[in-house]
Amino acid sequence: MNHMRNLAESRAEYGEDTLDLGPEEVRRLVHELRVHQIELEMQNDELRETQVTLAASRDRYSRLYDASPVSYCTLDARGVVIECNLTLSQLLNRERRQLIGYPLARNLPPEDQPILLDMLSNRALTVEQTLRFRSHGEEQKNLNILLKLHRLDKPDDMGSHWFAAISDVSSMHRLTEELRVKSAAIENTLEGVLITKANGQICFVNSAFEKTTGFTLKQVQGKNPSILQSGKHTSTFYQEMWQAIAREGHWRGEVWNRRASGEIFPEWISISTVFDDERKPAYYVGVFSDITIEERMRERLHKLAYYDATTDLPNRHLFMDRLNQAIADSRRNNRQFALLFIDLDRFKNINDTLGHSTGDHLLVEVSRRITASLREVDTVARMGGDEFMILLSNTDAEKDSQIVARKLLATMADPFDLDGRQYHISASIGISHFPADGTTAEDIIRHADIAMYQAKEHGRNTYHCYTQSFDEKQVVHLDLENDLRHAVRLESLELYYQPQQDLASGNWSGVEALLRWNHPERGLIPTIDFIRIAEETGLIVEIGYWVLRRACQQFLSWRRSGLDVGCVSVNLSPHQFLQSNLIERMRDILGETGMPPDCLGVEVTESAAMPNFQYSVRTLVALREMGVTIYIDDFGTGFSSLSHLRHLPIDVLKIDRAFVSETPGNGDDVAIVRAIIAMARTMNLRIVAEGIETAEQLAFLRQEGCHAGQGYLLSRPIAPEAILRLMR
Ligand code: C2E
Ligand code: MG
Ligand code: MG
């Protein structure tokens, strides 16, 4: 019926009141209408479907918009938020309604607000800026945000809009900050830093590198570190180094490199590999420090340990090394060699009348003449005082050594020019042969020494070959040894005390006990000399405990007289240090005398402590536990490695006189003293300088922060009563 009504309506529409239609016609129309209707229904369906799809898509879009990891919002021309996504509301910790309708700038710290306004007035299509946003909440935090504005020019009335995409770059910002701090650290460290790519090309060096090597980043960038090579190492050295890096990822050691100036220098370098994600080497980082000073110190120590400072000749130590070497070689090859012992005649007169510096002058000249008359392969050494020793290697017959002896006497015959005047000086030479006169170093030396005395007996200025019948020197030595035994028994040894001063306050801070032996016939015997005999004979152990007991008693006696000397230190000889019952005996003496252990110090030399390292550590720990202060005496001359020293439980380091005596004039020694003080500080040790003789030395040491000093300038070693007068 609906259909009929439609038909009537359409008739009305066409202005026909009546329609004369045949049945055929009507059927056709009805059919057409049906088709039409079906089409319409189909269109309706499509529309519905499209609507559903549209709704779903809008839904999806808005979910996407809201849940996007990036925060979005739309702003009007004045920067007021028109809409925003959920991400933004979460980022700023504000509900959407607290954002929409308000200026976005409200979420910025006041000083950043003008920047946003600036961006909004920009004519460009997109502007970008990192700003600090404040996240709202209990504890406000600043977010570093990258704000990207896109201008949306709306065709309608609404004017221009901004579409803003906001991302939180705080973590990146933090990372950048961190990188900045780290690179500042690399830039400012005192250690040189060099970074190469895996192919060896330098890509970075820091300013310490530039300062140390003299090469700028520009000069080395893209080059291989081999431009620094000094030529001092073999190619095997570098091969082994790179093998270690490949195997373990890192390597450290000493390398000599060349500065831009051409000068070569030692450095302590550690090289490590930086791997990429696939564990393949991507970079190599080298960190190094210039150890020129330490190297110089090592050389200087070596020189001090093995060479005589006055003449530059090898000293007794080095000579003994060479002699033992010669004995081993000669034994192996069935060869002979000769030893010549030279002693200047009446040298003491020159020293006493013209002074020590002229005496030294003469020694230098003598050593020059001796050296000039020998072959390169021979060794000349100064054994101390005016005694020289010559090792003639590969002498095939006894007559060779006599020819040399005659030549030496001849070169001495020319007068010596001293202080503008000419002096004649002669020498007496004793000769012994290996293996005829002995097969150990001790025997050959002793026999050359005896032969030299024989030469003196024969009227000086001559030489003498050792003959077994004559052993006078040994008798002298024996005499002294007997006298010393006697002296120990009779307690005719004495202790003198040398005060130490605290350099900062100028107050006396302690005393060192030093042995004196006034021989009834020979007078005062040099301490070093009789200590040597005491060491050789083992008498030193008894003497050592006598010294210890006497020093403790003295300390308490001063105390009774109202004087507090601070700490009294005694020297422990290597021999005594190695006694297995040292700790018990020390404890007994402390108990017996009532000495407070914290007022007692023991001085041990490096050479006593180093060879038997484990034992030394144990003994020193035990001493320290008793409360006794541990001093390392004559530091520097023992030639021990600084790193070893770190493992010894010690309290005080005494810088040897050899280093102090040439400060502040000698640059090398100044550097060494500074280095020792710096090292001692890092190890928390107290530093005492020995042998201060001049006001300049004192001022220098005080300025360098040395804690205490001892030396003739402050006071010589003096008798106990004198200490009482001086310190009170
Ligand atoms: P040391 O322990 O290094 O003692 C310092 C030495 O340097 C002392 O020599 C002292 O008189 C001297 N001296 C101090 N200030 C100066 C100065 O300004 N200039 C110069 N040129 N010398 C100065 P001394 O008394 O002849 O003793 C020499 C060494 O003998 C001592 O060196 C120590 O190793 C050893 N010694 C001394 N007394 C004893 C002791 O009781 N027992 C042991 N085992 N050794 C001792
Ligand atoms: Mg000492
Ligand atoms: Mg000393």
Side-chain angles (χ1 to χ4, degrees):
M1 286 314 96
N2 228 357
H3 175 231
M4 294 310 286
R5 200 171 59 240
N6 283 352
L7 200 65
E9 280 167 7
S10 72
R11 270 188 192 140
E13 208 177 306
Y14 288 100
E16 289 170 71
D17 287 331
T18 50
L19 268 176
D20 257 339
L21 298 171
E24 199 44 36
E25 202 69 344
V26 170
R27 210 173 310 124
R28 195 181 50 80
L29 270 175
V30 167
H31 176 75
E32 265 179 27
L33 274 172
R34 277 215 73 86
V35 170
H36 214 70
Q37 191 186 8
I38 289 170
E39 271 175 10
L40 268 175
E41 275 169 13
M42 272 170 68
Q43 272 173 12
N44 249 346
D45 275 355
E46 256 173 48
L47 199 64
R48 251 196 314 278
E49 227 169 82
T50 311
Q51 266 170 351
V52 169
T53 321
L54 204 63
S57 148
R58 199 178 38 237
D59 223 39
R60 216 169 32 242
Y61 165 74
S62 96
R63 266 206 312 272
L64 205 66
Y65 179 69
D66 266 342
S68 153
V70 181
S71 309
Y72 295 117
C73 65
T74 316
L75 308 174
D76 70 9
R78 288 167 306 131
V80 172
V81 180
I82 297 170
E83 55 167 8
C84 70
N85 70 349
L86 205 60
T87 320
L88 181 66
S89 104
Q90 282 161 353
L91 179 67
L92 300 180
N93 203 14
R94 279 178 191 273
E95 303 225 351
R96 238 193 280 229
R97 61 183 168 74
Q98 294 175 300
L99 294 169
I100 294 177
Y102 296 99
L104 182 65
R106 190 163 84 120
N107 304 290
L108 266 55
E111 57 279 19
D112 281 11
Q113 291 179 4
I115 306 176
L116 178 61
L117 296 180
D118 244 24
M119 291 171 75
L120 293 169
S121 61
N122 203 303
R123 298 271 93 217
L125 281 181
T126 57
V127 271
E128 192 174 317
Q129 180 75 288
T130 303
L131 293 173
R132 281 171 307 154
F133 268 68
R134 270 188 323 214
S135 155
H136 186 69
E138 287 154 24
E139 164 198 351
Q140 290 217 345
K141 53 181 181 198
N142 277 336
L143 306 167
N144 289 287
I145 282 180
L146 180 67
L147 181 63
K148 257 189 185 171
L149 293 183
H150 302 266
R151 179 188 296 278
L152 303 172
D153 274 321
K154 288 218 167 172
D156 51 29
D157 57 320
M158 294 179 69
S160 59
H161 273 54
W162 294 98
F163 178 64
I166 301 172
S167 27
D168 180 2
V169 287
S170 298
S171 57
M172 210 160 74
H173 196 80
R174 262 197 307 278
L175 220 62
T176 319
E177 275 295 280
E178 224 173 83
L179 276 178
R180 224 157 47 90
V181 172
K182 283 184 184 161
S183 68
I186 292 178
E187 253 326 281
N188 290 309
T189 173
L190 292 178
E191 268 148 353
V193 177
L194 164 105
I195 304 179
T196 73
K197 294 188 195 153
N199 66 6
Q201 275 185 348
I202 298 176
C203 53
F204 173 81
V205 298
N206 70 347
S207 41
F209 172 98
E210 294 182 328
K211 215 179 300 152
T212 312
T213 64
F215 286 112
T216 63
L217 173 61
K218 248 204 193 118
Q219 289 170 317
V220 297
Q221 213 160 26
K223 304 233 171 81
N224 191 283
S226 60
I227 54 165
L228 300 168
Q229 277 181 11
S230 61
K232 223 178 142 122
H233 304 287
T234 58
S235 53
T236 327
F237 172 85
Y238 293 106
Q239 267 164 22
E240 282 171 5
M241 177 178 101
W242 282 108
Q243 278 163 5
I245 296 173
R247 206 170 46 239
E248 282 147 37
H250 56 85
W251 180 88
R252 64 178 55 185
E254 192 179 313
V255 175
W256 282 80
N257 271 340
R258 187 180 296 279
R259 303 188 214 269
S261 63
E263 180 199 355
I264 66 171
F265 71 103
E267 62 183 34
W268 180 258
I269 185 165
S270 113
I271 301 176
S272 23
T273 317
V274 179
F275 295 99
D276 63 14
D277 292 344
E278 290 159 22
R279 288 288 302 161
K280 280 209 261 358
Y283 296 95
Y284 295 105
V285 178
V287 178
F288 65 90
S289 40
D290 184 344
I291 51 168
T292 309
I293 292 263
E294 281 168 38
E295 183 59 28
R296 242 187 264 153
M297 179 163 164
R298 236 184 306 177
E299 271 166 23
R300 174 99 173 85
L301 292 179
H302 183 265
K303 198 125 199 249
L304 276 172
Y306 289 112
Y307 289 84
D308 168 54
T310 310
T311 59
D312 263 349
L313 289 179
N315 66 8
R316 180 185 290 273
H317 267 306
L318 184 54
F319 183 79
M320 292 311 287
D321 277 359
R322 300 241 173 115
L323 179 57
N324 284 316
Q325 188 62 43
I327 292 175
D329 287 351
S330 305
R331 271 208 190 115
R332 208 174 318 117
N333 303 317
N334 224 352
R335 289 234 182 88
Q336 314 175 7
F337 67 82
L339 214 61
L340 274 67
F341 196 131
I342 306 178
D343 186 286
L344 302 183
D345 299 326
R346 301 193 183 86
F347 174 74
K348 199 171 172 300
N349 287 350
I350 299 242
N351 235 353
D352 291 349
T353 52
L354 300 179
H356 284 263
S357 97
T358 308
D360 285 354
H361 232 93
L362 175 65
L363 290 173
V364 172
E365 184 53 26
V366 167
S367 71
R368 212 185 49 73
R369 289 192 192 179
I370 297 177
T371 313
S373 43
L374 297 173
R375 304 166 302 169
E376 283 270 323
V377 289
D378 302 324
T379 298
V380 194
R382 180 172 172 217
M383 304 299 272
D386 58 347
E387 293 174 351
F388 296 85
M389 192 80 97
I390 298 171
L391 177 67
L392 294 180
S393 31
N394 297 335
T395 40
D396 289 330
E398 286 200 7
K399 88 173 187 283
D400 282 354
S401 53
Q402 298 190 34
I403 292 172
V404 173
R406 279 198 291 275
K407 199 167 146 193
L408 286 170
L409 293 176
T411 66
M412 304 289 282
D414 284 339
F416 290 85
D417 214 348
L418 299 175
D419 294 344
R421 285 183 58 190
Q422 300 213 314
Y423 291 88
H424 285 275
I425 190 139
S426 61
S428 301
I429 304 176
I431 306 174
S432 66
H433 294 96
F434 175 93
D437 300 327
T439 50
T440 65
E442 207 182 10
D443 279 354
I444 320 170
I445 291 182
R446 192 159 47 87
H447 292 157
D449 191 4
I450 290 167
M452 190 274 295
Y453 272 89
Q454 290 172 304
K456 291 226 188 245
E457 284 291 301
H458 282 82
R460 303 167 194 262
N461 194 18
T462 182
Y463 65 88
H464 204 282
C465 292
Y466 172 71
T467 45
Q468 272 177 343
S469 58
F470 202 97
D471 228 342
E472 191 196 43
K473 185 70 196 300
Q474 198 175 14
V475 174
V476 173
H477 194 284
L478 255 175
D479 270 358
L480 215 52
E481 186 186 321
N482 278 333
D483 292 350
L484 188 57
R485 281 183 200 284
H486 215 63
V488 176
R489 257 201 319 274
L490 292 180
E491 296 219 344
S492 64
L493 295 172
E494 263 183 288
L495 279 190
Y496 269 36
Y497 297 87
Q498 189 176 32
Q500 275 164 19
Q501 193 178 76
D502 181 274
L503 295 190
S505 65
N507 296 332
W508 298 117
S509 56
V511 294
E512 175 178 5
L514 293 162
L515 259 176
R516 294 291 176 262
W517 181 23
N518 206 344
H519 191 279
E521 286 134 42
R522 295 169 196 254
L524 205 60
I525 312 273
T527 309
I528 286 288
D529 289 354
F530 75 84
I531 293 270
R532 189 160 63 218
I533 295 177
E535 274 275 346
E536 279 168 21
T537 54
L539 264 175
I540 193 69
V541 177
E542 268 335 288
I543 295 180
Y545 291 122
W546 178 85
V547 169
L548 189 65
R549 185 174 294 111
R550 174 54 60 89
C552 291
Q553 288 164 344
Q554 186 59 58
F555 175 88
L556 293 162
S557 145
W558 279 323
R559 199 171 246 196
R560 281 192 298 276
S561 318
L563 173 69
D564 185 359
V565 295
C567 180
V568 53
S569 62
V570 295
N571 293 283
L572 275 195
S573 91
H575 204 102
Q576 192 180 3
F577 183 67
L578 289 174
Q579 294 291 304
S580 56
N581 61 352
L582 172 73
I583 301 294
E584 285 102 85
R585 290 206 59 180
M586 288 219 27
R587 197 174 285 128
D588 287 351
I589 292 174
L590 285 173
E592 195 183 288
T593 55
M595 174 78 180
D598 57 341
C599 296
L600 180 70
V602 290
E603 300 195 1
V604 184
T605 57
E606 291 167 78
S607 43
M610 285 303 163
N612 212 330
F613 201 71
Q614 299 299 341
Y615 170 85
S616 301
V617 172
R618 248 184 296 129
T619 309
L620 294 178
V621 165
L623 283 172
R624 225 199 201 175
E625 275 168 2
M626 266 159 71
V628 174
T629 306
I630 316 286
Y631 289 67
I632 288 290
D633 202 0
D634 305 346
F635 178 71
T637 54
F639 194 38
S640 62
S641 108
L642 303 182
S643 50
H644 255 77
L645 209 61
R646 282 182 202 277
H647 303 293
L648 284 181
I650 51 182
D651 305 292
V652 187
L653 210 60
K654 295 186 85 170
I655 307 180
D656 192 70
R657 197 171 73 223
F659 296 105
V660 174
S661 67
E662 285 184 48
T663 57
N666 178 322
D668 267 2
D669 282 0
V670 164
I672 289 169
V673 168
R674 278 200 184 122
I676 294 177
I677 292 178
M679 179 203 65
R681 278 188 185 282
T682 64
M683 291 165 62
N684 258 335
L685 299 180
R686 202 174 144 75
I687 315 142
V688 181
E690 298 185 305
I692 303 177
E693 292 183 346
T694 69
E696 290 76 26
Q697 290 163 358
L698 181 67
F700 165 73
L701 290 159
R702 184 178 284 144
Q703 179 200 322
E704 291 302 321
C706 177
H707 299 117
Q710 185 179 341
Y712 292 170
L713 177 73
L714 303 166
S715 165
R716 285 184 176 258
I718 47 181
E721 314 78 60
I723 285 284
L724 202 57
R725 279 195 299 276
L726 177 79
M727 290 199 170
R728 225 174 24 193

